[in-house]
Amino acid sequence: MEKAKIDRINEFARRVKAGGTLTDAELEERAALRTEYLAEIRASFGATLDNTVVVRPDGTREKLKPKNDKKA
């Protein structure tokens, strides 16, 4: 996500924290920016987990499996 978008999210947060209010258009913009930001965080975290391995005491390496995977 571009720094300008993150700065905009932070600007909204500072205004609300200081007791200010946001217009309806700003609330919609903030919601859209938050959604985009969370999607990028989730994708990044998923990529990290895809490249994570468990090293067993015997030295074997095993990739993480999804929790709902019944093969575990």
Side-chain angles (χ1 to χ4, degrees):
M1 175 174 259
E2 299 98 36
K3 180 160 175 32
K5 289 183 178 181
I6 293 173
D7 289 343
R8 186 73 170 151
I9 292 170
N10 290 330
E11 176 187 336
F12 289 142
R14 280 190 298 275
R15 283 177 44 196
V16 170
K17 189 174 182 179
T21 59
L22 301 177
T23 66
D24 289 339
E26 289 172 332
L27 289 171
E28 289 176 14
E29 180 184 358
R30 180 180 72 170
L33 289 170
R34 282 180 172 177
T35 301
E36 182 181 344
Y37 179 75
L38 287 174
E40 288 192 23
I41 293 294
R42 288 181 179 123
S44 174
F45 187 70
T48 299
L49 288 178
D50 287 343
N51 294 310
T52 302
V53 294
V54 175
V55 179
R56 303 286 179 195
D58 64 1
T60 59
R61 298 168 60 95
E62 181 180 335
K63 286 189 90 79
L64 290 179
K65 296 179 183 126
K67 186 174 182 178
N68 60 358
D69 190 3
K70 301 298 181 194
K71 295 179 184 178

